[in-house]
Amino acid sequence: MESCTTRLAERDDIPAMVALLEQLFALEADFTPAPQRQRLGLACLLDARSARVWVAIVDRAVVGMCTVQVLVSTAEGGSVGLIEDVVVDEAHRGRGIGRALLAQAEAWAADAGLTRLQLLA
């Protein structure tokens, strides 16, 4: 893996995360990028007590992101996590960055007592 660090996202990261979501949405026929909506959604996630957003940093630039939202599962009888957005910048893919972001999500979910993580794909 190239030298990268992961950390919780901050409001200053929103423009870079919007650009990453544009790359993700380009792969999905169901979604059309709407930067203003993505900015609002990311701000809501950053403010939510029941959500976490991590970013991957390479050379002080955000090159990846991962979001987790806590939901209640009737099947599990408790809290679970939904991973909705995992994306790594096209130029940095295939280097373990997505794996590092998912490891952060898994560790947080375990610490938070979540019984399952689901990846929306």
Side-chain angles (χ1 to χ4, degrees), residues 2 23 88-93 95:
E2 68 184 280
Q23 289 183 40
V88 174
D89 180 75
E90 189 173 31
H92 296 274
R93 292 181 189 156
R95 300 176 185 167

Side-chain angles (χ1 to χ4, degrees), residues 4-46:
C4 99
T5 58
T6 58
R7 63 165 169 76
L8 287 171
E10 302 168 353
R11 285 202 174 268
D12 289 346
D13 299 322
I14 288 177
M17 291 189 294
V18 168
L20 288 168
L21 289 173
E22 287 179 14
Q23 289 183 40
L24 178 63
F25 293 168
L27 301 172
E28 300 184 27
D30 294 347
F31 297 105
T32 302
Q36 181 59 27
R37 279 192 277 180
Q38 277 79 70
R39 278 190 287 280
L40 290 171
L42 288 165
C44 287
L45 285 172
L46 291 176

Side-chain angles (χ1 to χ4, degrees), residues 32-74:
T32 302
Q36 181 59 27
R37 279 192 277 180
Q38 277 79 70
R39 278 190 287 280
L40 290 171
L42 288 165
C44 287
L45 285 172
L46 291 176
D47 290 342
R49 294 172 66 175
S50 61
R52 294 294 182 277
V53 181
W54 291 272
V55 290
I57 309 293
V58 173
D59 295 330
R60 294 186 287 192
V62 173
V63 300
M65 64 178 280
C66 175
T67 66
V68 178
Q69 299 176 57
V70 177
L71 306 172
V72 175
S73 167
T74 55

